[in-house]
Amino acid sequence: MNTFTSTISINKPLAEVYDFLADFNNHQQLMPDNIQEWMSTRDEARFSIQNMAKLALKIEERIHNQLVRIIPAEKPPFDLELKWSLSFNNDHTDILFTINAELSMMMKMLASGPLQKLADHETQSLLNILS
């Protein structure tokens, strides 16, 4: 399993950050420009990555004000899990975004950079939106 992480702190209440992340309709705002054909509900999202693949993801687990765990809703090109972990620290919310991907050696060479960029882009977008 290959792990890609990105952390940020946002000067917002934990509940506000959690409520935003717990609704998949909000996640389109976190995505980079190469995400197309976005369709979502509170629990699922479908989209395509320009010139690459189509993905369907679903929120598998919500732990109130702590965790949002996302897994594929349909068979992806590789096994994948996205996890938003939240904790409140004095006056701000600490966020750890983790992408776990089961990548072959070939896929690792191709996808490691883009997956780390995705993790960083999503956390930075969240910071920009909620700040």
Side-chain angles (χ1 to χ4, degrees):
M1 191 64 73
N2 299 279
T3 302
F4 308 91
T5 62
S6 185
T7 58
I8 54 165
S9 290
I10 297 179
N11 192 16
K12 290 286 182 185
L14 181 61
E16 185 177 337
V17 178
Y18 174 82
D19 289 345
F20 182 90
L21 292 171
D23 185 344
F24 235 142
N25 290 311
N26 295 325
H27 286 243
Q28 182 177 12
Q29 300 171 63
L30 305 177
M31 294 292 171
D33 293 338
N34 66 337
I35 299 299
Q36 301 173 327
E37 301 170 12
W38 180 276
M39 295 185 323
S40 61
T41 65
R42 177 171 163 72
D43 298 319
E44 269 191 43
R46 295 175 180 279
F47 55 91
S48 61
I49 304 167
Q50 187 176 9
N51 301 324
M52 288 178 66
K54 290 183 184 240
L55 284 178
L57 300 175
K58 66 181 179 180
I59 295 178
E60 172 74 3
E61 180 180 16
R62 290 181 182 94
I63 300 175
H64 187 68
N65 288 349
Q66 293 178 33
L67 176 82
V68 176
R69 191 168 68 88
I70 301 164
I71 63 169
E74 296 173 358
K75 184 71 179 141
F78 49 84
D79 288 336
L80 183 68
E81 176 193 66
L82 302 106
K83 193 168 26 177
W84 292 93
S85 304
L86 310 173
S87 61
F88 196 68
N89 188 356
N90 293 328
D91 61 348
H92 60 275
T93 300
D94 291 329
I95 300 147
L96 170 63
F97 180 50
T98 306
I99 300 173
N100 289 311
E102 191 67 48
L103 302 174
S104 65
M105 284 302 286
M106 181 68 144
M107 282 300 287
K108 186 175 182 179
M109 291 184 340
L110 293 171
S112 288
L115 286 171
Q116 184 60 56
K117 281 183 184 173
L118 176 64
D120 294 338
H121 182 88
E122 287 203 37
T123 54
Q124 189 59 52
S125 295
L126 182 66
L127 180 64
N128 293 343
I129 290 164
L130 295 182
S131 291

